[in-house]
Every structure is written in C-alpha cells, then in structure tokens.
Amino acid sequence: MKRGVVIGLMGLIGLMGCQEVSLEQQAAEAAQGYYQRLLDGYPDGFLAGKAAYDEMPSDYRDQLVKANEQYMKDMQQKHNGLCSVAISSNVGRSDSTLHVVYAFLLLSYGDSTKEEVIVPMVQVDGEWKMR
C-alpha cells in the first residue's frame, strides 16, 4: 500500500515537472534577464535584447547605450538606484493579432518605491526580444 502511494506521488511530481511554460512566462523571464543586465551595469547587454539590434547602425547603438547609462544615473539620483527586477504577479498578456507578448516587470528602487513596467516582447528566431 505504501509503495503504491509513493509511486503515485512520484508520478504526480513528474507530471507537474513537465508542465509547459506559457508564452507570457517565457517572455517575462527574457525581459527580466535583459533588465537584469542593465541593473548589473551592462547597458550594451540590455540593448542586445532589442529585436532589431543586429540591424542598428553602430552610432545609433552607441547613442542608445549612453541613453541607458543616463537612465541608470537618473534612477540613482531620483530613487537611490535600481535595486532589483522581478516578474510582476501579472506576468504578461498576449496580443495574437500583433504577435506580441506584453511582459510585466516590477522594478524596485533604493528608496523603497516600486514601478511596474510593461515590456513588449516578440519572438525572433526562437528567442524573446524586446520590441
């Protein structure tokens, strides 16, 4: 009897482990990773998460990197810096007509304020990228 219960529980755990991750969750995790790069001080890594990154002229990329660096400086002055990036409890919403998933992230700042941001994400060659 005990053996049957153990085997049943193991099967249930196995089935739970095979659950497919939703598109919204996948997109939110990718967006969180890109924002984490920004938080970790790699604005170029954040920028590499843009859908059209490879097609951007290098001078435009440089301008965007500088803008991201300035954003982090502004957040440091206004909110004592960006402290963490988490996936919001809303996770995301799909728009099948535009083939976009809107990922919801929760940014936490050093002054204890929080901000929920919406990041439009698209799939490019099987990878989630910011639109």
Side-chain angles (χ1 to χ4, degrees), residues 83-96:
C83 293
S84 67
V85 178
I87 297 172
S88 172
S89 60
N90 294 325
V91 182
R93 299 289 180 266
S94 294
D95 184 339
S96 59

Side-chain angles (χ1 to χ4, degrees), residues 50-65:
K50 296 288 255 177
Y53 177 75
D54 294 333
E55 290 124 31
M56 290 179 191
S58 61
D59 58 333
Y60 181 59
R61 279 191 222 167
D62 292 342
Q63 290 173 14
L64 290 176
V65 166

Side-chain angles (χ1 to χ4, degrees), residues 62-75:
D62 292 342
Q63 290 173 14
L64 290 176
V65 166
K66 288 178 185 173
N68 290 331
E69 289 171 343
Q70 186 60 49
Y71 168 76
M72 293 303 286
K73 287 178 186 176
D74 291 346
M75 291 305 102

Side-chain angles (χ1 to χ4, degrees), residues 20 23 33 63 100 102 129:
E20 192 172 313
L23 293 178
Q63 290 173 14
V100 174
Y102 296 96
K129 298 287 188 171

